[in-house]
Amino acid sequence: MRYSDEELIRYLKELYTELGRTPRKRDLKKYSYDAYRKHFGSFNNALIKAGLSVNRRFYSDADILGWIQNFYKTNGRSPYESEFIKLFGDFTLFTRRWGTWSNTLKAAKVPVRASFKSLSDDEMLDRLIEVCKTLGRVPKRLEFSKYGLPSPTTYIEHFGMSAANLLKKHGYIFIYSFRKNMSEQQLIDELKEIVRLLGHVPSISEIDRLAKNSIYSSSFIYRKFFGSWNNALKKAGFEPNSEALKGLSDEEIMNIAKKIYEAYGTLNAKLMVKHGVTKSQIERHGGMIRLKKALNIPCNDRTKYTKDDCINGLNEAYQYFGHLPSINEYNSRHFKPSYKTIIKHFKTWKNALEELKKIINFSS
């Protein structure tokens, strides 16, 4: 039987709604993994097409380096870090394996842009000011390399402060989020491109997450130009999110909250918004505390966790990832207790991992 791309993508989105998380290969029932591989090249490519986050562990070194090499052959230059993150949605895919983007390019045997170590402090400042004048704001983290600047970390190492604070110190005040040089039509075109990339109309939280890790504009910029996020969607020819979601009943909101808690082991407003419930709808239901009480979910329970609970949570993460987890890894899967509680007990994340090593007889 032949399936269309649209059918396969629709099923992934249905699974995402049902599971409350990105589906994995073992979750597939209606269509086989081979069907996705034949249509899209890989299961992760299908997830990207559906606008879902990828299962990072399934990308091999050959997948990543091969993409970089193909990009170089097609475009005649090495890809920027921002271009990689725009497609794959996760910078840790290369930082955990090769450390830096330059090392990743070297591993792929494609040209690496020149180092900035020979620049003097004055030259670094002058280049930063020049780029800021072009953009009308301070560049985002992933734009530094695109505009020929040393990395944000290099500025901190040289000057002991961020690029933004460095500019303030020298009397240069830029509007950080508001891109003055962009027209209304450019923003509309950018929004249409984002919808094509995701495969659906994004919520405010989605657009802000995307803006944080790419060169796209944040919801703040759209609200500045159009008055509200929904006005921006209307101008671009899309149905406003509030109109699409206004039909959610209290029972439906409760069901969404229940599925989120079952999938993540926790419940908060951020996850509710991510899964299609607006903040106003949460308030209409009485807020997060009332939702948690209705589902018998503990509220404000941080202080009840002991050091042993912290070690048990870390051990669970260790078993899940197969290695000592970083804070970002631990937080990404919503293990309990929270990383803040662990640090509160052990002062630092490193101290907590050292205690875990003693329990599991860890040897590096």
Side-chain angles (χ1 to χ4, degrees), residues 219-251:
S219 63
F220 171 82
I221 300 169
Y222 287 97
R223 292 197 298 270
K224 273 286 186 180
F225 269 94
F226 302 102
S228 71
W229 174 241
N230 280 338
N231 286 344
L233 292 177
K234 288 179 182 178
K235 280 282 188 178
F238 301 114
E239 184 181 1
N241 287 334
S242 60
E243 291 180 15
L245 294 171
K246 65 182 179 182
L248 283 179
S249 65
D250 288 350
E251 183 180 355

Short mmCIF file of all heavy atoms in Angstrom, two decimals, residues 219-251:
data_model
loop_
_atom_site.label_atom_id
_atom_site.label_comp_id
_atom_site.label_asym_id
_atom_site.label_seq_id
_atom_site.Cartn_x
_atom_site.Cartn_y
_atom_site.Cartn_z
N SER A 219 8.48 36.99 19.42
CA SER A 219 7.11 37.48 19.42
C SER A 219 7.05 38.96 19.80
O SER A 219 6.14 39.68 19.37
CB SER A 219 6.25 36.66 20.39
OG SER A 219 6.72 36.81 21.73
N PHE A 220 8.03 39.41 20.58
CA PHE A 220 8.08 40.83 20.98
C PHE A 220 8.12 41.73 19.75
O PHE A 220 7.45 42.77 19.68
CB PHE A 220 9.31 41.08 21.86
CG PHE A 220 9.57 42.53 22.15
CD1 PHE A 220 8.90 43.20 23.16
CD2 PHE A 220 10.50 43.25 21.39
CE1 PHE A 220 9.13 44.54 23.41
CE2 PHE A 220 10.75 44.59 21.64
CZ PHE A 220 10.06 45.23 22.66
N ILE A 221 8.91 41.34 18.74
CA ILE A 221 9.06 42.15 17.54
C ILE A 221 7.76 42.20 16.75
O ILE A 221 7.33 43.25 16.26
CB ILE A 221 10.20 41.60 16.67
CG1 ILE A 221 11.51 41.63 17.47
CG2 ILE A 221 10.34 42.38 15.38
CD1 ILE A 221 12.65 40.88 16.83
N TYR A 222 7.09 41.04 16.65
CA TYR A 222 5.82 41.00 15.94
C TYR A 222 4.78 41.87 16.64
O TYR A 222 3.98 42.56 15.99
CB TYR A 222 5.32 39.56 15.82
CG TYR A 222 6.11 38.75 14.82
CD1 TYR A 222 7.15 37.92 15.23
CD2 TYR A 222 5.83 38.83 13.46
CE1 TYR A 222 7.88 37.19 14.31
CE2 TYR A 222 6.55 38.11 12.53
CZ TYR A 222 7.58 37.28 12.96
OH TYR A 222 8.31 36.56 12.05
N ARG A 223 4.77 41.83 17.98
CA ARG A 223 3.81 42.65 18.72
C ARG A 223 4.12 44.13 18.54
O ARG A 223 3.21 44.97 18.52
CB ARG A 223 3.82 42.27 20.21
CG ARG A 223 3.28 40.87 20.48
CD ARG A 223 2.92 40.68 21.95
NE ARG A 223 4.07 40.83 22.82
CZ ARG A 223 4.86 39.83 23.18
NH1 ARG A 223 4.63 38.59 22.73
NH2 ARG A 223 5.88 40.03 23.99
N LYS A 224 5.40 44.48 18.43
CA LYS A 224 5.79 45.88 18.21
C LYS A 224 5.26 46.39 16.87
O LYS A 224 4.80 47.52 16.76
CB LYS A 224 7.32 45.99 18.23
CG LYS A 224 7.92 46.21 19.61
CD LYS A 224 7.67 47.62 20.08
CE LYS A 224 8.38 47.92 21.40
NZ LYS A 224 8.12 49.29 21.84
N PHE A 225 5.35 45.55 15.83
CA PHE A 225 4.93 45.96 14.50
C PHE A 225 3.42 45.92 14.31
O PHE A 225 2.82 46.80 13.71
CB PHE A 225 5.58 45.05 13.44
CG PHE A 225 6.90 45.56 12.92
CD1 PHE A 225 8.08 45.14 13.49
CD2 PHE A 225 6.95 46.45 11.87
CE1 PHE A 225 9.30 45.59 13.01
CE2 PHE A 225 8.15 46.92 11.38
CZ PHE A 225 9.34 46.49 11.95
N PHE A 226 2.78 44.84 14.84
CA PHE A 226 1.38 44.59 14.52
C PHE A 226 0.42 44.78 15.68
O PHE A 226 -0.79 44.64 15.52
CB PHE A 226 1.24 43.15 13.98
CG PHE A 226 2.07 42.87 12.77
CD1 PHE A 226 3.26 42.16 12.86
CD2 PHE A 226 1.69 43.36 11.52
CE1 PHE A 226 4.04 41.90 11.75
CE2 PHE A 226 2.47 43.12 10.39
CZ PHE A 226 3.64 42.39 10.50
N GLY A 227 0.93 45.08 16.87
CA GLY A 227 0.07 45.31 18.03
C GLY A 227 -0.17 44.08 18.86
O GLY A 227 -0.32 44.17 20.08
N SER A 228 -0.24 42.92 18.23
CA SER A 228 -0.42 41.65 18.95
C SER A 228 0.04 40.51 18.05
O SER A 228 0.19 40.68 16.83
CB SER A 228 -1.90 41.45 19.34
OG SER A 228 -2.68 41.15 18.19
N TRP A 229 0.25 39.33 18.67
CA TRP A 229 0.68 38.15 17.91
C TRP A 229 -0.43 37.71 16.94
O TRP A 229 -0.16 37.35 15.79
CB TRP A 229 1.03 37.03 18.88
CG TRP A 229 1.35 35.72 18.23
CD1 TRP A 229 0.70 34.54 18.39
CD2 TRP A 229 2.43 35.44 17.32
NE1 TRP A 229 1.29 33.56 17.64
CE2 TRP A 229 2.34 34.08 16.96
CE3 TRP A 229 3.43 36.22 16.76
CZ2 TRP A 229 3.25 33.46 16.09
CZ3 TRP A 229 4.34 35.62 15.87
CH2 TRP A 229 4.24 34.28 15.55
N ASN A 230 -1.68 37.77 17.39
CA ASN A 230 -2.79 37.36 16.52
C ASN A 230 -2.95 38.29 15.33
O ASN A 230 -3.32 37.86 14.24
CB ASN A 230 -4.09 37.27 17.31
CG ASN A 230 -4.19 35.97 18.09
OD1 ASN A 230 -3.54 34.99 17.76
ND2 ASN A 230 -5.00 35.95 19.14
N ASN A 231 -2.69 39.59 15.52
CA ASN A 231 -2.73 40.53 14.39
C ASN A 231 -1.67 40.18 13.36
O ASN A 231 -1.90 40.28 12.15
CB ASN A 231 -2.53 41.96 14.89
CG ASN A 231 -3.75 42.51 15.59
OD1 ASN A 231 -4.84 41.97 15.47
ND2 ASN A 231 -3.56 43.59 16.33
N ALA A 232 -0.49 39.77 13.84
CA ALA A 232 0.58 39.36 12.93
C ALA A 232 0.17 38.14 12.12
O ALA A 232 0.40 38.06 10.91
CB ALA A 232 1.87 39.08 13.71
N LEU A 233 -0.47 37.17 12.79
CA LEU A 233 -0.93 35.96 12.09
C LEU A 233 -1.98 36.32 11.03
O LEU A 233 -1.96 35.79 9.91
CB LEU A 233 -1.51 34.97 13.09
CG LEU A 233 -0.53 34.33 14.08
CD1 LEU A 233 -1.28 33.43 15.06
CD2 LEU A 233 0.56 33.54 13.35
N LYS A 234 -2.90 37.23 11.37
CA LYS A 234 -3.94 37.64 10.41
C LYS A 234 -3.31 38.31 9.20
O LYS A 234 -3.71 38.05 8.06
CB LYS A 234 -4.92 38.60 11.09
CG LYS A 234 -5.85 37.94 12.10
CD LYS A 234 -6.77 38.98 12.74
CE LYS A 234 -7.68 38.35 13.78
NZ LYS A 234 -8.53 39.36 14.45
N LYS A 235 -2.32 39.19 9.43
CA LYS A 235 -1.65 39.89 8.34
C LYS A 235 -0.96 38.92 7.39
O LYS A 235 -0.89 39.14 6.18
CB LYS A 235 -0.62 40.88 8.89
CG LYS A 235 -1.19 42.19 9.38
CD LYS A 235 -1.51 43.10 8.20
CE LYS A 235 -1.91 44.49 8.69
NZ LYS A 235 -2.18 45.40 7.53
N ALA A 236 -0.45 37.83 7.96
CA ALA A 236 0.25 36.82 7.15
C ALA A 236 -0.71 35.82 6.52
O ALA A 236 -0.29 34.91 5.80
CB ALA A 236 1.28 36.08 8.01
N GLY A 237 -2.01 35.97 6.82
CA GLY A 237 -3.00 35.10 6.22
C GLY A 237 -3.29 33.82 6.98
O GLY A 237 -3.84 32.87 6.41
N PHE A 238 -2.93 33.78 8.27
CA PHE A 238 -3.16 32.58 9.08
C PHE A 238 -4.26 32.84 10.11
O PHE A 238 -4.49 33.97 10.53
CB PHE A 238 -1.87 32.16 9.79
CG PHE A 238 -0.75 31.86 8.85
CD1 PHE A 238 0.40 32.67 8.85
CD2 PHE A 238 -0.81 30.80 7.97
CE1 PHE A 238 1.44 32.41 7.98
CE2 PHE A 238 0.22 30.54 7.09
CZ PHE A 238 1.35 31.36 7.09
N GLU A 239 -4.88 31.75 10.56
CA GLU A 239 -5.92 31.86 11.57
C GLU A 239 -5.30 32.10 12.94
O GLU A 239 -4.40 31.36 13.35
CB GLU A 239 -6.76 30.57 11.62
CG GLU A 239 -7.93 30.64 12.58
CD GLU A 239 -8.72 29.34 12.61
OE1 GLU A 239 -8.33 28.40 11.89
OE2 GLU A 239 -9.70 29.28 13.35
N PRO A 240 -5.74 33.13 13.66
CA PRO A 240 -5.18 33.41 14.99
C PRO A 240 -5.35 32.24 15.93
O PRO A 240 -6.37 31.55 15.90
CB PRO A 240 -5.98 34.63 15.46
CG PRO A 240 -6.47 35.26 14.20
CD PRO A 240 -6.72 34.13 13.25
N ASN A 241 -4.35 32.03 16.78
CA ASN A 241 -4.38 30.90 17.72
C ASN A 241 -5.56 30.97 18.67
O ASN A 241 -6.16 29.95 19.01
CB ASN A 241 -3.08 30.86 18.53
CG ASN A 241 -1.92 30.38 17.68
OD1 ASN A 241 -2.13 29.66 16.72
ND2 ASN A 241 -0.72 30.78 18.03
N SER A 242 -5.90 32.18 19.12
CA SER A 242 -6.98 32.31 20.10
C SER A 242 -8.31 31.85 19.52
O SER A 242 -9.13 31.26 20.21
CB SER A 242 -7.10 33.77 20.57
OG SER A 242 -7.38 34.61 19.46
N GLU A 243 -8.52 32.09 18.21
CA GLU A 243 -9.76 31.66 17.59
C GLU A 243 -9.78 30.14 17.43
O GLU A 243 -10.81 29.49 17.55
CB GLU A 243 -9.93 32.33 16.23
CG GLU A 243 -10.18 33.82 16.33
CD GLU A 243 -10.33 34.46 14.97
OE1 GLU A 243 -10.52 33.74 13.98
OE2 GLU A 243 -10.24 35.70 14.91
N ALA A 244 -8.62 29.55 17.18
CA ALA A 244 -8.55 28.11 17.00
C ALA A 244 -8.71 27.36 18.31
O ALA A 244 -9.14 26.22 18.34
CB ALA A 244 -7.22 27.74 16.35
N LEU A 245 -8.37 28.03 19.43
CA LEU A 245 -8.36 27.34 20.72
C LEU A 245 -9.53 27.70 21.63
O LEU A 245 -9.71 27.11 22.68
CB LEU A 245 -7.05 27.68 21.47
CG LEU A 245 -5.77 27.15 20.83
CD1 LEU A 245 -4.56 27.74 21.54
CD2 LEU A 245 -5.71 25.64 20.88
N LYS A 246 -10.35 28.69 21.22
CA LYS A 246 -11.35 29.19 22.16
C LYS A 246 -12.41 28.15 22.51
O LYS A 246 -13.12 28.29 23.49
CB LYS A 246 -12.02 30.45 21.59
CG LYS A 246 -12.84 30.20 20.31
CD LYS A 246 -13.39 31.51 19.80
CE LYS A 246 -14.21 31.31 18.53
NZ LYS A 246 -14.72 32.57 18.00
N GLY A 247 -12.51 27.06 21.68
CA GLY A 247 -13.52 26.06 21.94
C GLY A 247 -13.15 25.03 23.00
O GLY A 247 -13.94 24.15 23.27
N LEU A 248 -11.96 25.11 23.60
CA LEU A 248 -11.56 24.14 24.61
C LEU A 248 -12.44 24.26 25.84
O LEU A 248 -12.57 25.33 26.43
CB LEU A 248 -10.09 24.35 25.01
CG LEU A 248 -9.02 23.86 24.04
CD1 LEU A 248 -7.64 24.17 24.60
CD2 LEU A 248 -9.15 22.37 23.79
N SER A 249 -13.03 23.14 26.25
CA SER A 249 -13.86 23.12 27.44
C SER A 249 -12.98 22.85 28.67
O SER A 249 -11.81 22.47 28.54
CB SER A 249 -14.92 22.03 27.33
OG SER A 249 -14.31 20.74 27.29
N ASP A 250 -13.56 23.04 29.86
CA ASP A 250 -12.83 22.74 31.09
C ASP A 250 -12.41 21.28 31.13
O ASP A 250 -11.32 20.94 31.59
CB ASP A 250 -13.70 23.06 32.31
CG ASP A 250 -13.86 24.57 32.51
OD1 ASP A 250 -13.16 25.32 31.82
OD2 ASP A 250 -14.67 24.97 33.35
N GLU A 251 -13.27 20.41 30.64
CA GLU A 251 -12.96 18.97 30.63
C GLU A 251 -11.77 18.68 29.72
O GLU A 251 -10.89 17.88 30.05
CB GLU A 251 -14.18 18.17 30.17
CG GLU A 251 -13.95 16.66 30.21
CD GLU A 251 -15.18 15.87 29.75
OE1 GLU A 251 -16.22 16.51 29.48
OE2 GLU A 251 -15.08 14.65 29.66
#
